[in-house]
Amino acid sequence: MLERDYIMRLIQEFMAALARVLEKKEVTTRREEIRKLYDKYVGPYTLYYNASVDEVMQAIQSYGVEQRIQRLEMLAELYYHEADTVGQPTRDELLNKAFMLFDYVEAHGDTFSIERRNKMAQIKQKIGDALK
């Protein structure tokens, strides 16, 4: 029960922080703030930014199942929003990682999210055939 409460508070805090970051107009400022969110909520930016999805899954194994799912969803959100701050081909790589993590959360999580499904559909529209 305490772990579930902790995870819920963490998610609420993360989503509020992400919303504040997305309000920033300047792309470089937004990107720097997103990097800070990686470090604060998921783990080292350099690890997760450069990691493949398989490496992400390895790194996240230290958490319990429920917390792992939630952290993967937070990471997918960061990838999704950071993609808007970078150019090609990095944009497509980040969107591909976001899609794969959203898909994993969709398959293994116990929470339905229309917002998650909408983001997955948007990613398909943006990069379509480039999805791995």
Side-chain angles (χ1 to χ4, degrees), residues 69 101-111 116-117 120:
I69 296 292
L101 294 180
F102 280 139
D103 190 50
Y104 182 89
V105 170
E106 187 74 20
H108 296 89
D110 59 359
T111 305
R116 181 186 321 121
R117 288 191 176 179
M120 291 172 72

Side-chain angles (χ1 to χ4, degrees), residues 21 24 26-39 45 78 82 85:
V21 167
K24 298 187 184 305
E26 189 176 319
V27 174
T28 54
T29 304
R30 192 172 347 132
R31 186 152 187 231
E32 188 56 40
E33 293 295 319
I34 287 173
R35 286 180 183 188
K36 290 177 186 175
L37 292 178
Y38 275 94
D39 291 332
Y45 173 78
L78 290 170
E82 186 175 20
T85 68

